[in-house]
Amino acid sequence: MRQLAIISGKGGCGKTTLTAAFSSLSGNSVLADCDVDASDLPLILKPQVLKTEDCLGLELASIDLKLCTGCGICREICRFGAVLENFTINPYGCEGCAVCTVACPENAVSLMPRVSGQAVSSITRFGPMAHAKLGTGEEASGKLVNLVRKKAVELADRYSCKLVLIDGPPGTGCPVMAAITGTDLVLVLSEPTVSGLHDLKRAIKLTAHFRIPTVACINKYDLNEKKSLEIEAFCREAGIPLLARLPYADITTEAMMKEETVIEYAAHSGDSGAVEFANIVRNLWAELEMRLSETFKKEMCPKALRIRGT
Amino acid sequence: MNIAIASGKGGTGKTTVAVNLALALEDVQLFDCDVEEPNCNLFLGFELEPVEEVTCLVPEINPDKCTLCEKCADFCKYNALAALPNKIMFFPSLCHGCGGCSLVCPAGAIEEKLRSIGRIEKASSQTSLKFLRGILNIGEAMATPVIRSLQRHLDESRPVIFDSPPGTACPVLAVMGCADYCVLVTESTPFGFHDFLLALEATRALNVPVGVVLNRDGLGDSRVEEFCRAEGIPILLRIPNDRMIARLYSEGIPFVKEMPDWKEKFEDMFETIKALVCKSTGVQ
Ligand code: SF4
Ligand code: SF4
Ligand code: SF4
Ligand code: SF4
């Protein structure tokens, strides 16, 4: 089994659109939607839920007001300002550090488990899918991402799928690291904007750190050709293969409105722009599949591992 | 008056709205609270100078006093302390600075010292716009303390615009929680609407009045509009799906600078917000 992660330094650059398109092209893959903060893949793929599992986050303090004498020690000692004036706990402030539980002279405070989200196993028209739901104010934790990936691997085993497609979270924090560790290939999506190159560099630093073969593609390349050239030059310099340049097109949104992948949309809309866009995505997918193949790994990987200039 | 500009997801144009709004107005403050990705200054290009180091208290174990009782490591909820046979290991990046380990240590072996987790910077230039931003050091997880430190630099006498972090996690609530009004930036597409609902839920949990800016208007359908009408949420501004605007964005140029008629639209939006805030708090 192979794992491919699709990431971007920043949200909103078409990561989910591409992942959805890949899932319709791959035929035999499991999707892992690790963008747990704003999980959008289900909106296109309409998963039928098979099973959900709670993910426990940090615990939450709770004060037994029958025991509490209102001495105020907990309020003073809590570094996160989570104990309110009436000696109840602000759930958005409490980090579950447990300091109040040991500080309270009346033993009035205890920690309660708190559900931070759910990991969901589903089935879609393109195959099985693992995703998550996060509660408001809950941190997109590496823990939940790991749980989603674990579910995806279970699904892959059960439905004998050869590939796990991971829609990564934005940014370069802990959830992203959890989403890419142990994958076979990472596709970094870039945009020619003021922050595009900077975001790309940060993402590549991360994949280099984990020594994962990395490829890139530019979305909306024609929005700013000069910035696109800069990105291309950087990729060449760093030894990151640039696999595709996708044009600035409204068809991604049009497909989304119909709750379809761009591939499905292009197939029936007959719009020439859409067909062209879909073909670029197809070629990109063919490249990715080739790079994920056994032979490629054997022949090329030692070379692909070396990422220069980061 | 504090206005937070937020969105359920990154890349919806939150920073664009915050920067353009701030530039369209006189005598306001702009605070970039997206401390993990502070992007406002890419559009402003100000010279920045450091004003404050943001720190967090972390334990320092005195090996001479430590009896290796392991109480501290057992207590730490974040696995920032690990008991080895001959010493206690400390992992600074996991520590939340709760102070619990020094509290429970029976030998008084733990002292706390300050560790830098980020910094606050401000624009040095003599502009009418007062700009400050917080930056979280790479690899650090605690965005909220940086935001709190940043908020201590507020000048209450002037309106302030917060560029909030994306999403609905703790740091976002820290920003929304101290706002009088929250502007949610979204697109009227299935993804945009879905992410908008997540952000809306957060503002409702905090009881902050909201208005909407529709970005890339014309693309997609009218689902956000219909929802807002039904729920009584004002649509404050529409930014069309315009290639010129997208291009200026990609260059890092705030579009109010190149398209002066937008200055007025942002001013109008600000007046509307002022009126709405008065209405919801009662006129003083
Ligand atoms: S420390 Fe205990 S007794 Fe004192 S106010 Fe807090 S909960 Fe109540
Ligand atoms: S558990 Fe920690 S953060 Fe929560 S209320 Fe108690 S002292 Fe504060
Ligand atoms: S201060 Fe709190 S989080 Fe940090 S090591 Fe001590 S117990 Fe753990
Ligand atoms: S609680 Fe104090 S004495 Fe015990 S292991 Fe920790 S530092 Fe050492």
Side-chain angles (χ1 to χ4, degrees):
Chain A
M1 187 180 46
R2 291 263 180 275
Q3 302 203 30
L4 166 69
I6 296 134
I7 63 169
S8 64
K10 213 178 130 217
C13 40
K15 193 167 47 61
T16 303
T17 304
L18 263 191
T19 314
F22 291 159
S23 80
S24 64
L25 289 171
S26 69
N28 187 17
S29 67
V30 178
L31 273 165
D33 186 355
C34 292
D35 192 354
V36 291
D37 248 328
S39 166
D40 285 337
L41 263 180
L43 299 175
I44 293 190
L45 300 176
K46 306 264 159 224
Q48 306 278 323
V49 175
L50 299 173
K51 219 163 81 193
T52 61
E53 184 181 314
D54 283 348
C55 176
L56 295 179
L58 295 170
E59 290 168 310
L60 184 66
S62 144
I63 296 178
D64 184 344
L65 290 173
K66 283 203 280 303
L67 295 176
C68 172
T69 57
C71 71
I73 291 175
C74 52
R75 240 170 94 76
E76 224 162 90
I77 205 158
C78 174
R79 296 227 174 126
F80 307 101
V83 184
L84 303 174
E85 262 164 54
N86 58 357
F87 299 110
T88 55
I89 304 289
N90 170 7
Y92 301 126
C94 177
E95 307 227 356
C97 69
V99 167
C100 52
T101 60
V102 294
C104 173
E106 309 294 332
N107 259 327
V109 200
S110 48
L111 287 182
M112 303 288 185
R114 140 155 84 177
V115 175
S116 68
Q118 273 107 26
V120 188
S121 307
S122 306
I123 199 95
T124 74
R125 61 185 183 280
F126 302 120
M129 166 168 175
H131 47 121
K133 281 197 202 99
L134 202 68
T136 299
E138 299 294 343
E139 219 58 59
S141 64
K143 207 169 143 192
L144 187 54
V145 168
N146 283 331
L147 190 59
V148 169
R149 285 190 59 189
K150 199 177 119 224
K151 296 270 144 211
V153 170
E154 281 172 20
L155 285 166
D157 285 342
R158 187 157 344 126
Y159 294 89
S160 52
C161 299
K162 293 237 157 36
L163 178 70
V164 177
L165 266 177
I166 299 167
D167 186 5
T172 47
C174 178
V176 185
M177 294 189 220
I180 65 169
T181 39
T183 57
D184 300 279
L185 185 68
V186 171
L187 171 67
V188 185
L189 202 57
S190 179
E191 252 185 1
T193 61
V194 266
S195 63
L197 188 56
H198 168 82
D199 294 339
L200 174 69
K201 280 184 185 164
R202 280 175 42 139
I204 283 174
K205 228 182 227 160
L206 209 63
T207 60
H209 177 80
F210 288 102
R211 308 181 121 258
I212 306 167
T214 305
V215 293
C217 89
I218 307 181
N219 196 14
K220 307 185 187 163
Y221 80 92
D222 48 349
L223 183 63
N224 190 326
E225 306 251 4
K226 201 172 127 254
K227 291 242 172 343
S228 286
L229 287 175
E230 281 171 30
I231 292 174
E232 281 170 33
F234 165 77
C235 287
R236 213 172 302 127
E237 188 83 357
I240 304 286
L242 187 73
L243 298 189
R245 302 188 315 159
L246 294 156
Y248 183 87
D250 289 342
I251 91 130
T252 52
T253 316
E254 283 155 23
M256 190 204 303
M257 300 309 303
K258 296 228 149 53
E259 294 166 353
E260 290 176 339
T261 68
V262 286
I263 306 295
E264 291 170 292
Y265 181 75
H268 70 74
S269 78
D271 176 81
S272 65
V275 171
E276 205 179 305
F277 192 93
N279 281 337
I280 302 176
V281 175
R282 267 202 190 88
N283 288 336
L284 171 58
W285 177 246
E287 277 281 343
L288 289 170
E289 266 195 319
M290 195 266 286
R291 273 157 210 274
L292 284 162
S293 69
E294 224 23 90
T295 25
F296 189 85
K297 194 169 179 185
K298 242 184 259 144
E299 302 292 321
M300 296 287 291
C301 250
K303 228 170 116 201
L305 262 180
R306 244 176 288 126
I307 297 172
R308 295 187 294 266
T310 49
Chain B
M1 184 175 60
N2 305 345
I3 303 170
I5 316 290
S7 66
K9 195 173 190 173
T12 56
K14 179 175 60 59
T15 301
T16 311
V17 171
V19 169
N20 282 299
L21 177 61
L23 289 174
L25 304 173
E26 307 285 322
D27 209 27
V28 291
Q29 312 164 75
L30 175 63
F31 277 51
D32 193 342
C33 299
D34 190 356
V35 298
E36 284 179 62
E37 288 282 340
N39 274 347
C40 283
N41 204 43
L42 288 175
F43 298 90
L44 296 166
F46 289 155
E47 294 261 338
L48 298 176
E49 57 185 43
V51 281
E52 188 194 326
E53 193 82 13
V54 183
T55 54
C56 153
L57 280 170
V58 296
E60 190 169 45
I61 297 175
N62 180 344
D64 298 335
K65 286 192 187 166
C66 174
T67 60
L68 294 172
C69 73
E70 301 186 3
K71 285 217 165 79
C72 53
D74 287 345
F75 179 83
C76 182
K77 290 279 174 190
Y78 314 106
N79 303 319
L81 294 167
L84 303 182
N86 56 353
K87 68 182 255 195
I88 302 290
M89 273 275 278
F90 175 54
F91 303 97
S93 62
L94 298 176
C95 175
H96 286 218
C98 70
C101 48
S102 57
L103 189 72
V104 297
C105 175
I110 303 182
E111 275 192 47
E112 290 189 283
K113 58 167 201 248
L114 293 170
R115 188 174 73 95
S116 164
I117 55 167
R119 61 184 188 279
I120 309 295
E121 294 180 340
K122 76 166 203 264
S124 47
S125 53
Q126 293 300 317
T127 46
S128 70
L129 178 65
K130 180 180 168 195
F131 172 69
L132 279 99
R133 71 170 183 186
I135 299 178
L136 183 70
N137 293 343
I138 298 214
E140 295 290 339
M142 307 246 294
T144 313
V146 180
I147 294 172
R148 297 251 183 259
S149 299
L150 180 62
Q151 286 168 338
R152 280 195 278 277
H153 293 271
L154 274 183
D155 169 3
E156 296 285 347
S157 67
R158 289 193 282 167
V160 55
I161 295 156
F162 293 128
D163 185 9
S164 143
T168 55
C170 278
V172 184
L173 302 185
V175 175
M176 285 180 179
C178 87
D180 302 301
Y181 197 84
C182 185
V183 175
L184 295 180
V185 183
T186 184
E187 298 171 6
S188 199
T189 60
F191 290 3
F193 184 55
H194 173 247
D195 303 336
F196 162 72
L197 290 180
L198 294 175
L200 185 66
E201 207 179 300
T203 62
R204 287 191 168 156
L206 295 167
N207 233 334
V208 187
V210 275
V212 167
V213 169
L214 268 181
N215 196 14
R216 302 182 69 203
D217 186 33
L219 198 68
D221 57 14
S222 58
R223 66 181 78 201
V224 170
E225 234 177 303
E226 278 159 24
F227 175 85
C228 288
R229 204 173 299 129
E231 296 277 321
I233 298 169
I235 292 184
L236 303 162
L237 187 72
R238 292 158 192 275
I239 301 172
N241 182 30
D242 178 311
R243 212 172 157 126
M244 176 76 176
I245 288 177
R247 194 177 161 88
L248 288 171
Y249 170 85
S250 78
E251 297 277 356
I253 302 170
F255 62 83
V256 284
K257 282 197 176 162
E258 297 286 317
M259 305 159 101
D261 48 323
W262 277 92
K263 189 169 177 316
E264 211 172 297
K265 293 187 189 169
F266 277 103
E267 283 168 357
D268 284 350
M269 164 167 144
F270 181 68
E271 290 304 320
T272 314
I273 293 174
K274 254 188 2 205
L276 288 166
V277 170
C278 275
K279 205 173 98 194
S280 65
T281 54
V283 188
Q284 285 92 3

